[in-house]
Amino acid sequence: MNAMERKLDHIDQLRVLGSFAEALRHLNTLTTEVEDNGRAWELMGLVHFELANYQQSLDALERASLLVPLSVEAQCRLAECYMTSRRREVAAVIYAHLATLDVGLEELAELIGIGLKKIGQFDLALRFCLHHLGRFSSNHKLLFIVTESMRRLEYDNDVITPIACQVYRLQPDNVTYRVRFARHLLVARRNSEAVNLLQSVDLNALQCIPSLQRLRMLFEQLGEHDSSQICRARLQQIGYELSSAYRPPKEEH
């Protein structure tokens, strides 16, 4: 192993440990040494992605792809960058390729499954996640993608509900999972079970606007008008807080 490879290994370790700013600082000191080093550019792209510098990530990953085959993680991040830059068609091509892979790492299977769902490739997402659940049977993210893909593909609610229940039981504190399961219970006309499921949600503590909107509609459909009104009031409060947040004058930006 030469000196450059040791430096890149150290930077990659920093990245894995979550020290993204430090990893980027080290990478920036190597700029003149890595003109044609595909691995360095890939690391640059991955680190920039974690720092939410999506254009810099895209530029670095595209450059890396001209020099070396990108890792599965880098391909996922490149596709996400294309999504961010509204180049969905290019992202879709990458995800279609990734869907053909038999991924050995659970985290990468999650990234691909999530990406397939985001891009709207629900049939591919369903097949990919079902295949990888053979290895990662208790992965709540893959199971949730299965339920959402089945819902979009108009599977019968009776088929989806037991899987939604499994997702909720794996992560009972996840409000999104609880709400989605309650929705399937409502469709199955198991209203009392849906109400019981939602009673433990602390509505006044919720910050997620989409979750509050879904809960408001669910409570209305379930006839729980007091709870629906709490959701409405909470949404109004959040809207007021956002609209009245301090905005510095232009010269302070």
Side-chain angles (χ1 to χ4, degrees):
M1 181 184 295
N2 62 35
M4 176 57 69
E5 289 172 338
R6 285 194 295 272
K7 289 178 183 178
L8 294 178
D9 280 349
H10 175 62
I11 292 168
D12 197 22
Q13 187 176 23
L14 289 171
R15 179 185 70 88
V16 171
L17 292 172
S19 300
F20 306 119
E22 188 177 355
L24 183 59
R25 183 174 61 80
H26 282 282
L27 280 165
N28 285 334
T29 66
L30 303 176
T31 317
T32 57
E33 305 172 48
V34 296
E35 282 295 314
D36 298 317
N37 190 309
R39 185 187 177 202
W41 284 108
E42 179 175 308
L43 282 172
M44 182 78 78
L46 293 172
V47 170
H48 271 303
F49 185 90
E50 296 296 344
L51 294 169
N53 302 327
Y54 299 120
Q55 187 57 55
Q56 294 96 316
S57 178
L58 176 59
D59 293 342
L61 290 173
E62 284 186 330
R63 184 161 184 172
S65 70
L66 299 174
L67 299 167
V68 293
L70 293 181
S71 66
V72 172
E73 180 184 6
Q75 290 179 67
C76 288
R77 298 313 191 191
L78 179 59
E80 291 179 69
C81 287
Y82 283 131
M83 287 280 286
T84 302
S85 63
R86 299 182 181 181
R87 297 164 69 183
R88 293 176 63 88
E89 298 82 3
V90 186
V93 170
I94 296 174
Y95 281 125
H97 163 68
L98 292 170
T100 67
L101 304 181
D102 190 8
V103 182
L105 292 177
E106 193 166 6
E107 295 82 2
L108 293 179
E110 291 174 1
L111 283 180
I112 296 170
I114 291 168
L116 289 165
K117 181 172 79 74
K118 279 184 180 178
I119 205 72
Q121 297 181 340
F122 299 112
D123 186 54
L124 276 177
L126 178 59
R127 286 189 275 120
F128 177 85
C129 290
L130 287 174
H131 173 71
H132 284 82
L133 281 165
R135 181 179 298 154
F136 313 120
S137 58
S138 61
N139 187 292
H140 61 93
K141 293 181 182 179
L142 296 180
L143 282 165
F144 182 66
I145 295 166
V146 166
T147 64
E148 288 295 282
S149 298
M150 284 182 167
R151 183 174 66 85
R152 294 300 191 105
L153 294 168
E154 299 183 346
Y155 275 63
D156 192 282
N157 187 66
D158 291 342
V159 175
I160 307 173
T161 302
I163 308 172
C165 179
Q166 185 180 358
V167 175
Y168 156 69
R169 286 178 175 170
L170 285 168
Q171 292 280 312
D173 294 330
N174 187 308
V175 174
T176 297
Y177 294 169
R178 187 180 288 263
V179 170
R180 292 298 196 194
F181 180 34
R183 180 187 175 279
H184 290 294
L185 290 173
L186 173 63
V187 173
R189 299 183 180 180
R190 294 161 61 180
N191 291 22
S192 61
E193 292 177 66
V195 171
N196 289 336
L197 189 67
L198 297 176
Q199 279 180 339
S200 62
V201 178
D202 187 352
L203 300 176
N204 290 309
L206 273 184
Q207 296 287 339
C208 178
I209 291 175
S211 290
L212 280 164
Q213 290 171 332
R214 293 188 189 104
L215 280 163
R216 182 184 62 79
M217 289 187 290
L218 264 176
F219 282 128
E220 280 294 324
Q221 292 171 301
L222 290 164
E224 297 290 314
H225 302 298
D226 289 346
S227 295
S228 176
Q229 188 56 41
I230 293 172
C231 292
R232 188 186 302 275
R234 181 72 182 127
L235 284 164
Q236 289 174 343
Q237 180 185 3
I238 293 172
Y240 172 77
E241 290 170 354
L242 290 173
S243 64
S244 61
Y246 170 69
R247 295 188 180 92
K250 287 185 179 180
E251 61 268 22
E252 290 184 35
H253 281 287

